[in-house]
């Protein structure tokens, strides 16, 4: 989950400023969505998909071909007797993790907003300097000295 948080923050850095004006749902609000997600998932699992399976490969003549009541939930429960418990744990655990992530994101937003404002100002200054025809600032180019001229420590493998 930490990688996902970093990706979300990195993606947020490229969002336009109005996106930051919108409110971010709290962790408690996200966790409160778990029962609704559980009910929606349960309803989707009860949709009969047998006709779709038969239409996708009409010549297969699998056991139960044409029989009603072939739902995703029923198929999953045949393979995993604890499917419902695993699914609920995934839904409630996932919303809890998402809630913690959103709380962390909300805490980081002021610093992220400042960083974006500073970047916007620096880019604006650079563009203004370009339009005024100012020379670029002096750069210390000592970074490109040839390192082979420096004495080498024989114990250093690099």
């Amino acid at each position: 989950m930490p990688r996902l948080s970093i990706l979300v923050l990195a993606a947020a850095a490229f969002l336009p400023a109005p996106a930051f004006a919108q409110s971010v749902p709290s962790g408690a609000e996200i966790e409160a969505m778990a029962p609704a997600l559980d009910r929606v998932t349960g309803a989707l699992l009860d949709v009969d998909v047998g006709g779709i399976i038969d239409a996708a490969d009409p010549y297969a003549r699998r056991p139960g071909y044409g029989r009603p009541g072939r739902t995703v939930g029923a198929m999953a429960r045949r393979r995993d007797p604890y499917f419902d418990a695993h699914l609920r744990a995934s839904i409630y655990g996932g919303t809890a993790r998402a809630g913690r992530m959103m709380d962390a994101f909300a805490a980081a937003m002021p610093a992220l907003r400042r960083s974006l404002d500073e970047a916007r100002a620096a880019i604006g200054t650079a563009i203004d300097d370009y339009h005024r025809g100012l020379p670029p600032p002096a750069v210390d180019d000592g970074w490109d000295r040839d390192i082979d001229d420096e004495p080498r420590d024989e114990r250093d493998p690099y």
Side-chain angles (χ1 to χ4, degrees):
M1 200 65 176
R3 287 184 183 162
L4 179 63
S5 301
I6 292 169
L7 290 175
V8 169
L9 288 175
F14 294 103
L15 291 175
F20 288 106
Q22 299 172 4
S23 66
V24 175
S26 70
E29 290 171 328
I30 290 177
E31 286 188 58
M33 294 178 197
L37 286 172
D38 188 20
R39 287 190 301 275
V40 168
T41 304
L44 290 174
L45 290 175
D46 290 338
V47 172
D48 189 354
V49 294
I52 297 169
I53 294 169
D54 296 341
D57 191 4
Y59 302 106
R61 299 289 178 188
R62 292 173 199 76
Y65 184 89
R67 181 177 48 87
R70 291 176 289 163
T71 66
V72 174
M75 289 185 256
R77 288 179 194 102
R78 272 194 305 245
R79 292 196 171 115
D80 180 7
Y82 302 105
F83 172 75
D84 292 314
H86 292 155
L87 180 64
R88 281 202 174 81
S90 177
I91 290 170
Y92 283 87
T95 54
R97 285 189 300 275
R100 288 192 302 271
M101 183 183 75
M102 289 309 291
D103 286 343
F105 184 65
M109 283 212 13
L112 187 57
R113 184 176 292 128
R114 279 191 305 275
S115 296
L116 288 173
D117 289 343
E118 290 171 6
R120 186 181 304 122
I123 291 170
T125 301
I127 291 171
D128 291 343
D129 288 350
Y130 170 77
H131 288 298
R132 284 187 293 209
L134 296 177
V139 176
D140 177 19
D141 62 353
W143 60 270
D144 64 347
R145 283 181 291 198
D146 191 2
I147 60 171
D148 293 337
D149 293 340
E150 297 175 7
R152 178 172 158 79
D153 183 1
E154 296 301 323
R155 294 172 291 174
D156 184 11
Y158 303 102

